[in-house]
Amino acid sequence: MVNPQDLIIKNTVVIDDGSGVILQPMTKEFSYVVTAKHVIQIDKNDISKGFKSKDDIEVYTTADTKIALFDFYYHQDVDLAILKVEYLGSDILIKNTNCQFDERLQLWGFPKFSADHRNEEKPRIDWIESYAATVSSVSSNKLECKADDSVEITGLEGFSGGGLFDIVSDKIYLAAIEYRVYKPDEYVNRIYSVPIQNIQKILDENDLLPICPPYLGSLSELTSEAFQSLSFFNPKNKEKLAKLFTHLSKDKIEHASFTPHSLINKNRELISELNKDPKSIENKDLWVSIIEFLQVYELLDPQFQWDEEFVNYLTKNFKFLYFIDNSWKDKLKEIVLFDCGDLVNKGYLMLIHHGHDRPDVPDQLNQYRDPEKLPHIIASGIDDPDSIAHIYSKKTKDISILHFAKLNKFSLSDKEHEFDNLTFTHLEQIKNQLIDSYSMYLSCVEKK
């Protein structure tokens, strides 16, 4: 696993006399660098003099690579700007929640307070410095922090545009962009920064792509990873079956009228999460599973089109319940009490779960549609009439609860011997065997 600080160093850049942070929008055609607006002004203290030309702005990585700059955009009200640059890729996430008083952050940037800093004879990776900081005041457009060290203002010159980062479980969240140091008295310095949520105004006003993984913008970005998590005795069988599904759906995926991003925004009710992590809806494992489901669906019903009409059909007939616990048993109560009232009769509650502990059979959890068969520890803890109604709804509508990873294992790797000697010359035979396996649990006959 990559050290979070190494990722911060990789994605922190030098911009003229300031600093910046690489972020990745929903594409592989370009990247963003976010910085303080005054870093790209002709006069950092006087915005009325305008901005530098693109040719006069130089951006370098810590690997001493000059980055091609395509355009830039800035916030009208706060000291924040976005540079549109060549594609670089970045694993830095955006902190969508407000920082809290006394929260701990890390400030990274490129100062110029010694002969070793911003010295062209030294590699830029030697220029970078960091400070631990504690949040002391929060508002919508300003985050005030105090550094642990006794930092002089001169020691932070060059940090403008640098990021204040929150590291949580090896994930790196950009919380704010530093723009000045304030000295309220002789012995106190405060780091002022713009909360990163303000970047949304720049994106909206300039019709820019959102900052999220590129695979959320294209279903085809996910196909190469579909069905790769399955374990086979013969690895060639995994590749063969994965290629079969890709072969069957390739053209339709490439012309799909919906993306993971549009499903998140327009059809949020299709996917519900049982995770505390607010970014789990963007988890790659989730969307690889959704792709796998759609490819299986096309196998069972090759007439369907990857369009908005089909998404509307999905929303009525399927509900994807996503969680990341190691065992499905840890989420059993939430699963059986989950509200499926908007699903049609004979709809499906599909569990998207990649933990190692899986049910014995794909539909094992169907038994819990009957309140009398609930484990005692769950049944005795239910006193909410709505929760009881949710259980009865699953029973009366005959809603099937399927563990999708177990269904894939049952239909593919558990039946490896059936595919071992088959090649693409036996395409119809492979398809028919897969249809027989999946259709034992999953029907694609229209229910409404």
Side-chain angles (χ1 to χ4, degrees), residues 147-380:
D148 285 5
D149 301 328
S150 181
V151 184
E152 296 296 328
I153 292 179
T154 53
L156 284 168
E157 289 181 359
F159 268 87
S160 289
L164 280 150
F165 299 94
D166 182 16
I167 301 177
V168 182
S169 301
D170 294 328
K171 290 184 178 180
I172 306 162
Y173 295 89
L174 177 61
I177 292 294
E178 193 267 358
Y179 66 91
R180 67 171 289 201
V181 177
Y182 174 63
K183 193 177 182 70
D185 62 47
E186 185 177 355
Y187 302 103
V188 178
N189 289 326
R190 289 291 182 263
I191 298 168
Y192 280 2
S193 60
V194 178
I196 196 59
Q197 293 95 323
N198 286 277
I199 201 172
Q200 192 59 47
K201 183 176 181 181
I202 306 177
L203 298 174
D204 292 342
E205 289 181 348
N206 295 281
D207 197 24
L208 296 173
L209 289 175
I211 297 166
C212 58
Y215 58 77
L216 292 182
S218 172
L219 293 170
S220 58
E221 287 283 336
L222 298 158
T223 53
S224 63
E225 298 187 40
F227 305 102
Q228 295 298 320
S229 63
L230 291 167
S231 297
F232 286 80
F233 180 76
N234 181 357
K236 290 183 179 179
N237 283 329
K238 175 169 65 176
E239 297 304 318
K240 176 171 58 183
L241 291 168
K243 286 181 179 179
L244 166 67
F245 281 104
T246 300
H247 170 75
L248 295 174
S249 61
K250 184 175 184 295
D251 290 340
K252 291 183 179 179
I253 288 178
E254 290 180 350
H255 294 93
S257 62
F258 60 89
T259 66
H261 189 258
S262 68
L263 290 180
I264 291 173
N265 288 331
K266 298 178 183 178
N267 298 84
R268 187 62 185 258
E269 68 275 12
L270 180 62
I271 303 169
S272 297
E273 306 155 273
L274 298 181
N275 306 312
K276 295 180 180 178
D277 183 353
K279 300 291 286 185
S280 67
I281 191 67
E282 297 182 1
N283 191 293
K284 195 169 191 177
D285 288 339
L286 165 63
W287 290 103
V288 169
S289 292
I290 298 293
I291 278 288
E292 291 174 351
F293 169 82
L294 292 172
Q295 290 179 308
V296 168
Y297 197 103
E298 180 167 0
L299 173 74
L300 300 180
D301 181 13
Q303 300 305 312
F304 101 83
Q305 299 296 317
W306 297 57
D307 55 21
E308 294 293 342
E309 183 178 353
F310 178 70
V311 171
N312 293 332
Y313 165 78
L314 273 183
T315 304
K316 296 176 183 177
N317 292 277
F318 293 87
K319 179 80 75 173
F320 298 94
L321 195 57
Y322 175 59
F323 55 101
I324 57 178
D325 292 62
N326 187 53
S327 173
W328 58 271
K329 298 172 186 174
D330 295 334
K331 292 294 184 183
L332 182 57
K333 183 175 181 179
E334 288 105 315
I335 293 169
V336 298
L337 299 185
F338 187 76
D339 182 6
C340 291
D342 54 346
L343 285 182
V344 300
N345 185 38
K346 296 187 181 295
Y348 291 91
L349 180 60
M350 307 293 295
L351 306 183
I352 305 298
H353 165 235
H354 299 93
H356 296 298
D357 183 12
R358 298 174 182 178
D360 295 329
V361 292
D363 62 346
Q364 182 178 345
L365 276 70
N366 277 354
Q367 63 182 305
Y368 302 123
R369 295 182 308 189
D370 189 338
E372 296 180 359
K373 293 184 179 180
L374 283 176
H376 176 73
I377 192 171
I378 293 178
S380 62

